[in-house]
Amino acid sequence: MEKFTTLTGVAAPMPIINIDTDMIIPKQFLKTIKRTGLGASLFFEMRFNDDGSENSEFVLNKPAYRNANILVAGDNFGCGSSREHAPWALLDYGIRCVISTSFADIFYNNCFKNGILPIKVSEEELEKLMEDAERGSNATLTVDLESQVIKGPDGGEIRFDIDPFRKHCLLNGLDDIGLTLHKADQIDGFEAKLANERPWS
């Protein structure tokens, strides 16, 4: 998993509440178990018209936001079904951070396991960040995970809280497999001891 330390990039405003996982990645794209390729279908029903052409009104189709890697979104982001394809699609598109006032629990947990930083802020802070994001190509935010600070385009700062263990995992690029491999010596030692004590097993 790629480490998350400091991210500076364009923030796209999505002032919509209850963006669910089916909006993030519709059910017809869940046939794959690969984590790549899903970015093309991210927010499919909002990004594209019925004839397959781009919806020019959707934020990520606007020139200023095509390369956004931060989303500033409304309350209860990631609600709905518990599909892990949702963070996979965001990550494959290039989104590394989502900022909202609240997240659905399963989506929130899945983000950390896939290298995405979900940040919870107050309603007042979200309103300020949304205003920053609406500046188009000037909507650049810096997210410093080590310092737990979001820096706005005018130099303003917003501090955020994060669980220390999750912070450690993101800073070091550790998913569940990576965490297990960190214990490889202890696992090998346990297996060697078990083999010695129970050679018949």
Side-chain angles (χ1 to χ4, degrees):
M1 187 174 80
E2 185 179 351
K3 295 179 180 180
F4 190 113
T5 53
T6 301
L7 173 67
T8 297
V10 172
M14 292 190 70
I16 306 170
I17 64 170
N18 301 322
I19 294 177
D20 64 26
T21 52
D22 193 55
M23 292 169 69
I24 297 170
I25 184 72
K27 58 185 178 301
Q28 63 266 34
F29 301 108
L30 305 185
K31 298 173 184 177
T32 181
I33 57 171
K34 295 180 180 179
R35 301 188 184 198
T36 56
L38 289 168
S41 304
L42 179 70
F43 297 118
F44 186 83
E45 293 175 357
M46 291 190 284
R47 277 173 67 198
F48 301 101
N49 298 313
D50 291 342
D51 62 1
S53 62
E54 286 190 350
N55 172 10
S56 61
E57 295 301 311
F58 183 65
V59 62
L60 295 180
N61 289 337
K62 296 180 179 180
Y65 299 108
R66 282 189 178 274
N67 296 315
N69 46 24
I70 300 169
L71 284 183
V72 181
D75 188 56
N76 197 29
F77 190 91
C79 57
S81 64
S82 59
R83 62 192 70 169
E84 195 168 4
H85 292 69
W88 292 355
L90 287 165
L91 188 64
D92 190 59
Y93 183 87
I95 303 296
R96 294 295 313 278
C97 178
V98 182
I99 304 171
S100 180
T101 52
S102 66
F103 297 87
D105 287 344
I106 294 176
F107 174 84
Y108 185 76
N109 292 330
N110 282 339
C111 280
F112 287 105
K113 293 180 179 181
N114 288 282
I116 296 173
L117 173 60
I119 298 176
K120 297 178 183 178
V121 295
S122 69
E123 290 183 8
E124 293 77 14
E125 290 168 335
L126 186 73
E127 184 177 345
K128 178 64 174 73
L129 291 167
M130 199 71 75
E131 290 175 0
D132 288 339
E134 287 170 353
R135 296 184 181 193
S137 58
N138 294 321
T140 300
L141 300 179
T142 295
V143 179
D144 185 334
L145 177 56
E146 181 65 50
S147 301
Q148 296 177 214
V149 168
I150 304 167
K151 298 177 183 178
D154 295 328
E157 296 186 354
I158 292 174
R159 297 196 58 81
F160 62 90
D161 294 324
I162 184 173
D163 175 78
F165 175 71
R166 286 171 165 160
K167 177 179 178 178
H168 168 79
C169 290
L170 279 178
L171 286 172
N172 293 280
L174 297 173
D175 57 12
D176 289 347
I177 294 173
L179 283 168
T180 301
L181 292 176
H182 250 8
K183 306 282 187 180
D185 290 344
Q186 293 170 260
I187 294 170
D188 290 343
F190 173 80
E191 290 180 341
K193 179 183 177 183
L194 193 65
N196 184 57
E197 294 176 349
R198 303 181 183 180
W200 61 86
S201 62

